[in-house]
């Protein structure tokens, strides 16, 4: 990666997220068509994103969180009625 | 106009199931504040999976994540009267979630350091580290990258990031937050989000180098 490309690397990450604006965006868009290294870097970012978004969402094990939460809140209310569910 | 057909089993028509319309967060909060405790249940049910998964990615431990998710909702329950609509409820919930995870990781690290300092040189410190299971200290990258499934590889790579980089990559790549939302959750500037995300990605590129080489062709 050239020195010029290194200067773009932080912006490249923001560009990938669609969060780059103004002059920085224009400069990077002018640079990209002629730079294989930066385009390759964008592909790496996409591969990382693809991998991370493939991470499965896991349901909480044991038992539903709500059930355990209700027990804790009921216990708290018993100990201190001021903390009861309807006291907000 | 074509009439919709309704399936009939055993003489009784089976009507298409219609889920009740989801109430918006603000409506649920207002109902809860007005005394409807089921509104809080609905908030928990709506977000428990996302909160649990965020905790799981942060601390890499199912049991601890389950407890942390409960702690998050307990805090929400206690603080909801102070909730202001400056941020969306979702952002506010994530701020609490992130803080709970960071607190947990810091306490755990402090505990490990104390145990480590108080142990005499002759003691088997390896066993202590194994029991505490701090991912940053005990993880061996080469083993995971070569031997484990993709999910484990990714989780292991995330676990090797520092807390600051870990939380930001999860919020961006797993939860899909914008820079502005991340800045609100982490109470930092947009510029900080930008630079930390860059650093997190640089680190992930190193950690996932083997994975990316293997999958380079399939990504084209």
């Amino acid at each position: 990666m050239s020195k010029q490309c290194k200067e773009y690397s932080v912006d490249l990450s923001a560009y990938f997220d669609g969060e780059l604006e103004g002059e920085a965006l224009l400069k990077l868009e002018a640079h990209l068509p002629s730079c294989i290294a930066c385009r390759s870097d964008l592909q790496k970012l996409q591969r990382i994103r693809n991998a991370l978004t493939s991470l499965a969402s896991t349901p909480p094990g044991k038992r539903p969180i709500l059930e355990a939460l209700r027990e804790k809140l009921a216990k708290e209310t018993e100990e201190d009625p001021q903390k009861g569910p309807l006291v907000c | 106009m074509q009439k919709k057909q309704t399936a009939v089993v055993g003489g009784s028509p089976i009507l298409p199931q219609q889920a009740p319309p989801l109430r918006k967060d603000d409506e649920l909060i207002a109902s809860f504040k007005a005394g409807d405790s089921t509104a809080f249940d609905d908030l928990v049910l709506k977000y428990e999976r996302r909160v649990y998964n965020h905790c799981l990615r942060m601390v890499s431990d199912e049991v601890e994540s389950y407890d942390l998710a409960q702690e998050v909702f307990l805090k929400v329950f206690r603080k909801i009267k102070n909730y202001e609509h400056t941020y969306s409820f979702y952002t506010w919930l994530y701020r609490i979630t992130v803080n709970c995870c960071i607190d947990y990781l810091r306490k755990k690290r402090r505990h490990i350091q104390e145990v480590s300092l108080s142990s005499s040189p002759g003691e088997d410190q390896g066993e202590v580290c194994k029991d505490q299971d701090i991912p940053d200290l005990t993880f061996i990258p080469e083993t995971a990258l070569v031997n484990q499934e993709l999910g484990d590889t990714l989780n292991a790579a995330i676990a090797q990031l520092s807390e600051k980089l870990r939380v930001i990559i999860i919020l961006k790549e797993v939860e899909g937050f914008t820079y502005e939302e991340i800045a609100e959750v982490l109470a930092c500037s947009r510029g900080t989000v930008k630079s930390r995300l860059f650093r997190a990605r640089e680190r992930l590129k190193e950690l996932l180098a083997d994975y990316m080489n293997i999958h380079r062709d399939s990504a084209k």
Side-chain angles (χ1 to χ4, degrees), chain A residues 11 13 17 19 49 76, chain B residues 78 173 179 190 194 201:
Chain A
D11 280 349
S13 167
D17 292 325
E19 299 266 4
R49 173 162 295 167
E76 274 192 2
Chain B
R78 289 174 190 141
E173 299 291 28
Y179 282 17
R190 215 170 158 277
K194 183 180 167 184
R201 284 169 167 154

Side-chain angles (χ1 to χ4, degrees), chain B residues 39-173:
Chain B
F40 184 75
D41 292 358
D42 287 348
L43 277 174
V44 176
L45 289 171
K46 187 173 177 183
Y47 290 112
E48 64 173 4
R49 192 169 173 137
R50 272 181 269 186
V51 167
Y52 170 78
N53 274 281
H54 183 88
C55 296
L56 189 58
R57 307 265 177 259
M58 282 298 290
V59 308
S60 309
D61 184 309
E62 288 182 12
V63 176
E64 296 294 352
S65 301
Y66 182 80
D67 290 344
L68 273 170
Q70 282 181 55
E71 194 184 323
V72 167
F73 286 111
L74 275 175
K75 283 191 175 171
V76 169
F77 181 84
R78 289 174 190 141
K79 291 180 174 183
I80 206 162
K81 63 182 171 187
N82 299 325
Y83 165 69
E84 290 169 11
H85 296 258
T86 319
Y87 309 121
S88 68
F89 173 75
Y90 189 52
T91 306
W92 184 70
L93 174 68
Y94 264 87
R95 185 182 273 202
I96 293 174
T97 308
V98 165
N99 287 339
C100 277
C101 291
I102 299 280
D103 284 351
Y104 167 82
L105 289 169
R106 285 182 184 160
K107 275 180 198 162
K108 191 169 180 175
R109 193 170 50 223
R110 222 171 14 241
H111 178 68
I112 289 289
Q113 285 167 348
E114 283 167 9
V115 170
S116 176
L117 286 171
S118 63
S119 301
S120 66
E123 283 177 308
D124 185 358
Q125 294 185 10
E127 191 61 29
V128 171
C129 284
K130 190 181 164 193
D131 288 346
Q132 298 301 329
D133 190 26
I134 288 231
D136 295 356
L137 302 177
T138 59
F139 183 70
I140 305 165
E142 290 79 6
T143 310
L145 286 168
V146 174
N147 299 327
Q148 296 183 1
E149 297 291 330
L150 170 62
D152 290 343
T153 304
L154 293 170
N155 283 323
I158 291 173
Q160 284 188 91
L161 298 175
S162 69
E163 289 158 15
K164 280 181 180 175
L165 300 188
R166 197 184 312 171
V167 72
I168 212 152
I169 206 78
I170 293 170
L171 289 174
K172 180 66 213 164
E173 299 291 28

Side-chain angles (χ1 to χ4, degrees), chain A residues 1-7 9 12 35 37-38 41, chain B residues 205:
Chain A
M1 188 176 265
S2 71
K3 192 182 169 188
Q4 191 191 11
C5 290
K6 278 185 181 169
E7 286 172 11
S9 53
L12 197 69
C35 183
C38 284
D41 216 30
Chain B
K205 274 190 233 164

